Amino acid sequence: MIDYFSISSEGVQKNIREGNWLSVCNPTDREKEQLHEAYELPKNFFSLGEKYSHVSFFKKYQTEDEKPHCLMLFINIDSIDEPESRSSAVTVFLTQDVLITVSESPLIDEVLDNYKSEIFTKAGLILHTLQIINEHYLIFLKKQRETIEVISQGTSNGSNKNILEKTTHTEKNLVYIDNLLKEQRKTITHLLDSSLVASDRDLAIEIELQTKQATTSVQIYREMLSSISGLIDSMMDNRLNQLMKFLNTASLLLALPTLIFSLWGINTGGLLWRDSEIGSIMVVLLALLVSIVSGIYLFKKDYDA
């Protein structure tokens, strides 16, 4: 589907057939062919976003007739809960005459809903699209911050399976977003350093600040989560040590009566209570007494001293 818009000093107006901005979403093969014939698009223009959905890109070049063209690729996250499985690329083709964007329709609808009255140039549309994309990242990072707080509170009450799953899932998401932001920041830097956004310098500065905030936040949250993960590992090690201490103590307490019973089972003379009618009971009582005394001593002993 192709939507035609006109961007001018009067704002953005939707047209029926012609315009200087073409918003493309899920185009048919016929529509792709029409656009390739009408504009000097790269051969793989419509497949770039599908083949390289995790890569950001900025390239300025000239065609044989020396007309300047610009090709851009940005990464958007469509889902706050599952960013890795729901990320998509926004492909942008810019010339002096026309701007072509290939993206999911909800993104373009969100740009128009929020900034339609503020878009007067093609560069302004690109920057406002980046502004929405950055807002998606910041919303995602805010949710990760809330999740880290839940994990931190959970560790104070003792680690459990749910906390460990949340920690692993959050850490995976932050690693993924961290790499996307690092890749995209390079592209945004190239764009903001170019002459394309000279007329929208204030908005360009805001985009740069948004990008820095997102990249800084993800680094902070990764370090916070790393410290919490270290605490969880220490708690698990401590629990394991306590369990091993208990098992070793129990093994020793079981070994003492076994030793006593073995000694009184020797088939030689001279054993105490051998000829007594209550000899067996005395041996059992002796083993029980030794186990109780040893148990009290071992459980009271401070092994950390």
Side-chain angles (χ1 to χ4, degrees), residues 101-219:
T101 59
V102 181
S103 65
E104 300 291 338
S105 57
L107 175 64
I108 298 301
D109 293 340
E110 189 175 355
V111 173
L112 293 177
D113 290 341
N114 288 275
Y115 302 110
K116 185 177 181 179
S117 61
E118 302 177 24
I119 299 174
F120 304 104
T121 62
K122 295 189 287 292
L125 173 66
I126 296 173
L127 291 176
H128 280 300
T129 302
L130 279 174
Q131 192 172 9
I132 291 294
I133 291 174
N134 281 341
E135 287 175 1
H136 290 172
Y137 283 105
L138 292 173
I139 292 172
F140 166 80
L141 291 172
K142 182 179 179 181
K143 184 172 182 179
Q144 301 310 301
R145 180 70 175 87
E146 294 172 355
T147 304
I148 291 174
E149 287 294 334
V150 173
I151 293 173
S152 179
Q153 293 175 2
T155 54
S156 62
N157 299 325
S159 60
N160 54 46
K161 183 180 179 181
N162 186 37
I163 293 297
L164 292 175
E165 289 178 350
K166 279 187 178 181
T167 303
T168 303
H169 182 70
T170 305
E171 189 169 6
K172 182 186 71 171
N173 285 341
L174 288 176
V175 169
Y176 177 74
I177 293 299
D178 186 19
N179 285 279
L180 289 189
L181 286 172
K182 286 179 180 177
E183 182 69 22
Q184 187 139 287
R185 183 173 181 177
K186 298 176 184 177
T187 302
I188 293 176
T189 300
H190 288 311
L191 173 62
L192 299 183
D193 289 341
S194 69
S195 59
L196 296 175
V197 297
S199 59
D200 298 273
R201 185 53 54 187
D202 291 340
L203 181 56
I205 292 174
E206 185 174 352
I207 298 298
E208 186 174 7
L209 290 174
Q210 271 188 330
T211 306
K212 287 185 176 181
Q213 182 178 355
T215 52
T216 302
S217 296
V218 74
Q219 290 296 328

Side-chain angles (χ1 to χ4, degrees), residues 11-56:
V12 179
Q13 302 292 330
K14 189 169 184 180
N15 300 336
I16 298 177
R17 291 297 303 170
E18 294 181 355
N20 58 357
W21 171 32
L22 280 64
S23 176
V24 183
C25 177
N26 297 322
T28 63
D29 292 338
R30 181 173 179 78
E31 289 174 335
K32 293 179 182 179
E33 185 177 347
Q34 290 175 349
L35 291 175
H36 274 294
E37 292 177 358
Y39 309 98
E40 299 181 53
L41 297 176
K43 292 182 179 180
N44 58 346
F45 176 73
F46 293 101
S47 63
L48 288 176
E50 299 174 0
K51 293 173 63 178
Y52 309 104
S53 59
H54 297 159
V55 176
S56 189

Side-chain angles (χ1 to χ4, degrees), residues 286-298:
L286 176 62
L288 183 60
L289 178 61
V290 172
S291 298
I292 292 174
V293 173
S294 301
I296 293 173
Y297 171 77
L298 291 173

Side-chain angles (χ1 to χ4, degrees), residues 217-248:
S217 296
V218 74
Q219 290 296 328
I220 293 173
Y221 296 160
R222 283 192 66 182
E223 291 179 8
M224 291 174 60
L225 193 61
S226 177
S227 64
I228 294 175
S229 298
L231 175 61
I232 292 176
D233 291 340
S234 298
M235 292 173 62
M236 292 180 64
D237 289 341
N238 182 61
R239 286 190 174 186
L240 181 60
N241 291 336
Q242 293 295 328
L243 178 60
M244 294 303 298
K245 174 184 173 182
F246 173 79
L247 292 176
N248 289 334

